[in-house]
Amino acid sequence: MRLVLLIFSFCDWLQRTPVASYMRASFWAFPLVESLHILCGNVPLLVATSILSARLAGWGLREVPVSKLARGLLPWAWTGFLIQVITGLLLFSSAAAKYASTRIFPLKMLLILLAGTNALIFMRTTYRRVAAWDTAEVPPLGARFAGVVSLLLWSSVLVMGRVLNSAVSLVVAAHLWFAR
Amino acid sequence: MPDFLSWCQWLESTPMSATLRDSLWLFPAIETVHLFGIVALVGSTSILDLRLMGFTLAGTPVPKLARRVLPWAWLGFGIQAATGFFLFAAEASRVYLNPAFRFKMLMLVAAGLNALLFHVMTSRSAAQWEGRSTTPMSAKIAGLSSLALWFAIVIAGRMIAYFE
């Protein structure tokens, strides 16, 4: 209960900041940040994690060593993630309490947390012994599992983002309709 | 000049378009698939563009990378064309008159021409590319134009929702 209060007082503070007011008032700010959230965040993050996931699952790029692929792709995934967090926070700030009060928002955050946990567990266990299976066409079960789970989780995060947008638009539309 | 506007009005009067408008989840669902299409299309073309500009994958020959990446770009484009048609059909005449939509279509044609021009220019000299890590200036320009055009297309696409 205290946590909920804390979250909503944070949201209340956040949506009163000048940045949040600007996000609401400007015609271009929200759609531009939204586009960057997709272009510079979603695209590199999802492309990098999907390619690595496909290799881990044994579906493609079988001739490329896993560690070489990971070294090439992970910086793109991290850059994408960082941009997602920054642009996501800007979008969220515009109507923080409204976003936080939807059922979708906590679900999206939970899915991101799960995707992170999945990657962390994989890096700490199966990937520790990558030297033993680096060039294997089909990686061990732990890696295949982590790959498929990552693909499913990051795809679900994208879906939740879209649903969140629709959910908040519906709330805003309803408010406008009742305010007529 | 064919009468596009009356075609749009006919399109949005079809039962299919009415279903798209009336359903609470159908439009956002198609939008979500359209978003996955962006990831496939912009993701795959960006990899090639960055390689052409000389930013990444210097060890992979351009023709080899193109062979790997272009099927995904075409798959993404197919998804975009199909889902885009349904999104358009839901509110055809509003979207047809929308300045962001018109700009998007113009940029799409430009992106297509850019890709075609580059393909025609390089297909003759493709043999010389095999095994080379650096790219000529024309390839750098083509890569940068393609990247910029796809960014403009996505931003314009998002703007359709914000213009009346």
Side-chain angles (χ1 to χ4, degrees):
Chain A
M1 203 57 224
R2 302 253 322 251
L3 181 69
V4 173
L5 273 176
L6 195 70
I7 290 171
F8 275 94
S9 53
F10 168 74
C11 290
D12 191 49
W13 168 80
L14 185 66
Q15 62 192 13
R16 283 168 201 270
T17 58
V19 179
S21 322
Y22 184 74
M23 288 296 295
R24 282 190 299 272
S26 160
F27 175 72
W28 288 97
F30 195 91
L32 273 182
V33 175
E34 220 180 353
S35 302
L36 291 180
H37 194 66
I38 299 167
L39 278 168
C40 301
N42 251 325
V43 171
L45 177 62
L46 212 57
V47 167
T49 53
S50 302
I51 294 173
L52 194 58
S53 293
R55 174 66 181 94
L56 290 176
W59 294 332
L61 291 167
R62 288 176 162 194
E63 73 285 1
V64 188
V66 173
S67 63
K68 189 187 166 198
L69 203 59
R71 268 198 308 278
L73 289 172
L74 289 181
W76 289 96
W78 277 111
T79 309
F81 183 73
L82 191 70
I83 295 170
Q84 293 288 77
V85 171
I86 295 167
T87 52
L89 201 61
L90 284 170
L91 297 172
F92 179 78
S93 76
S94 70
K98 230 167 249 162
Y99 280 110
S101 61
T102 59
R103 286 184 195 171
I104 307 296
F105 187 76
L107 187 59
K108 182 177 175 178
M109 293 305 115
L110 179 71
L111 288 170
I112 295 171
L113 203 65
L114 286 175
T117 312
N118 173 57
L120 191 69
I121 292 174
F122 169 69
M123 291 310 247
R124 287 280 167 93
T125 58
T126 319
Y127 196 70
R128 278 265 169 90
R129 300 181 294 274
V130 70
W133 53 273
D134 210 7
T135 54
E137 289 202 342
V138 179
L141 188 64
R144 295 206 304 269
F145 180 78
V148 174
V149 168
S150 163
L151 202 61
L152 289 175
L153 282 172
W154 284 119
S155 305
S156 314
V157 171
L158 183 139
V159 173
M160 286 308 132
R162 198 60 248 169
V163 175
L164 186 62
N165 186 295
S166 305
V168 171
S169 306
L170 281 179
V171 171
V172 172
H175 273 279
L176 290 174
W177 193 82
F178 283 115
R180 279 192 309 184
Chain B
M1 189 73 186
D3 190 0
F4 280 121
L5 191 58
S6 52
W7 181 75
C8 290
Q9 281 158 350
W10 168 81
L11 182 63
E12 66 187 1
S13 70
T14 58
M16 179 196 78
S17 298
T19 310
L20 284 164
R21 279 191 303 275
D22 294 342
S23 164
L24 191 64
W25 59 270
L26 202 51
F27 193 89
I30 297 172
E31 254 185 328
T32 309
V33 181
H34 203 62
L35 205 49
F36 276 107
I38 290 180
V39 175
L41 176 58
V42 180
S44 54
T45 51
S46 300
I47 293 173
L48 196 58
D49 293 339
L50 291 172
R51 172 66 182 88
L52 289 176
M53 289 161 75
F55 281 128
T56 188
L57 292 166
T60 313
V62 172
K64 188 187 168 199
L65 190 65
R67 274 195 300 276
R68 280 232 103 119
V69 153
L70 289 181
W72 289 95
W74 279 111
L75 176 75
F77 187 77
I79 294 172
Q80 293 308 75
T83 52
F85 171 75
F86 288 117
L87 296 175
F88 177 81
E91 302 180 285
S93 55
R94 184 190 80 86
V95 177
Y96 173 68
L97 297 168
N98 191 299
F101 174 77
R102 295 192 165 191
F103 181 72
K104 180 178 178 174
M105 291 302 114
L106 210 60
M107 292 298 107
L108 256 175
V109 173
L113 286 177
N114 179 61
L116 186 71
L117 188 70
F118 181 70
H119 181 74
V120 170
M121 269 169 58
T122 53
S123 58
R124 281 172 300 175
S125 54
Q128 302 163 12
W129 284 56
E130 207 74 56
R132 273 177 61 183
S133 58
T134 53
T135 49
M137 188 45 100
S138 62
K140 288 193 172 73
I141 294 171
L144 183 65
S145 322
S146 165
L147 203 63
L149 285 168
W150 286 114
F151 265 60
I153 290 164
V154 172
I155 294 171
R158 198 75 282 273
M159 290 309 298
I160 296 173
Y162 295 84
F163 275 107
E164 266 313 300

